Amino acid sequence: MAGLAGPAAGAEPVGPLHPDLAVSTDQPLIVPGAGGVQTVVVSNAGAVTRGASLVTFVTPAYTNIDHSAALPGGCSMRYTNPDPTVPEVVNCLIPAGIAKGASVRLPMPLAVTERARLTGTNLDLVSVVAAEGSPDREANINDNSSMGSVAVSRPTPATPKGNKVGLYLTHDVPVLAEDRTAEVTLTYGNTGPKAMRGPVQITLVTPFSTNIDRAEPMPDGCRFALADESIGTPEIVVCTLPALDADEESTRRAGAQPEKPRT
């Protein structure tokens, strides 16, 4: 995969006069084919916010936003994709005035696809940053993003008829180099029992405060589904790769770099 890039060095010093926002979620239990609500909670342990705050919510795999239900006030779809294996992205603007000790709750309506033949924890991503144009500077960025989760429960759908394959995907945990770029390695394979009859689709979502490195080429077959270099919003890459025989494995590498700092 092309590289990743992380936060820029030399950030402005911050202290007790700055907001200290944090974000978390609850864990709803949803049956495949049904809907539910996951609540995002933004809290402030520092000074009152003087500008708007931007919340970004990324759905877990096999889950879409429930488009039959209303989003919370101030929220809109940043990226929509009916394919439940590709995340959808919601942006929410919280007005200035989150006081110290206060919190804001954003109930996100979700729908788990009937194709979700899995049980257990299904991870999503949520973050909060000062919105574009805000005078706020965050006191502690370490709790401005969170890996939330949706618990998918039984009954799960039966295995569909057809050509049975056993796909798997693993990845390393890259470390930023001195030039603040990194390369992530994705390994995917097919345990069988059958060879694939069609291509493999892999979806990569960048972590908080990280972009795809534009200086490096993407692997063949990969494209941006969501390209956004702004702070707080992830980038999404979808790769359509050649079919695998049974017991075959392949590797792709991608580069990344820090998101561009807000000025």
Side-chain angles (χ1 to χ4, degrees):
M1 271 282 182
L4 302 176
E12 173 188 342
V14 294
L17 298 181
H18 296 269
D20 183 9
L21 299 180
V23 65
S24 62
T25 68
D26 63 357
Q27 186 188 59
L29 181 67
I30 307 178
V31 175
V37 173
Q38 182 168 37
T39 301
V40 175
V41 180
V42 176
S43 58
N44 184 12
V48 62
T49 56
R50 296 175 294 161
S53 302
L54 175 67
V55 174
T56 301
F57 177 80
V58 183
T59 60
Y62 295 100
T63 305
N64 291 99
I65 293 295
D66 184 353
H67 296 286
S68 68
L71 289 172
C75 298
S76 61
M77 295 300 303
R78 175 63 182 86
Y79 176 71
T80 303
N81 193 324
D83 181 349
T85 68
V86 179
E88 295 192 302
V89 180
V90 176
N91 280 159
C92 303
L93 279 176
I94 302 175
I98 306 175
K100 181 175 182 179
S103 62
V104 176
R105 301 171 69 86
L106 302 170
M108 297 292 176
L110 301 180
V112 175
T113 176
E114 293 179 352
R115 294 166 53 189
R117 291 185 296 105
L118 56 92
T119 57
T121 300
N122 203 5
L123 298 178
D124 52 27
L125 176 67
V126 63
S127 67
V128 61
V129 297
E132 189 73 24
S134 169
D136 294 327
R137 295 295 181 269
E138 176 63 32
N140 175 20
I141 201 171
N142 290 316
D143 52 6
N144 283 62
S145 68
S146 175
M147 295 292 293
S149 63
V150 171
V152 180
S153 68
R154 292 183 173 85
T156 54
T159 303
K161 296 179 180 180
N163 187 54
K164 290 182 172 57
V165 298
L167 297 181
Y168 61 88
L169 175 68
T170 63
H171 63 84
D172 62 351
V173 181
V175 178
L176 288 178
E178 289 186 6
D179 64 355
R180 307 196 67 76
T181 63
E183 186 177 74
V184 60
T185 300
L186 304 177
T187 300
Y188 64 102
N190 176 21
T191 61
K194 301 291 186 179
M196 296 183 66
R197 296 176 183 169
V200 178
Q201 178 174 293
I202 294 177
T203 301
L204 171 71
V205 180
T206 60
F208 176 65
S209 195
T210 304
N211 290 125
I212 295 295
D213 188 354
R214 266 62 171 183
E216 298 293 333
M218 283 197 200
D220 291 342
C222 297
R223 61 175 178 82
F224 277 111
L226 175 60
D228 189 332
E229 294 185 271
S230 63
I231 185 73
T233 301
E235 298 195 298
I236 301 175
V237 173
V238 176
C239 301
T240 303
L241 305 174
L244 297 173
D245 290 331
D247 299 318
E248 184 181 5
E249 186 176 89
S250 187
T251 296
R252 295 292 187 275
R253 292 180 175 85
Q257 62 184 8
E259 285 184 331
K260 293 179 178 179
R262 182 173 57 77
T263 57

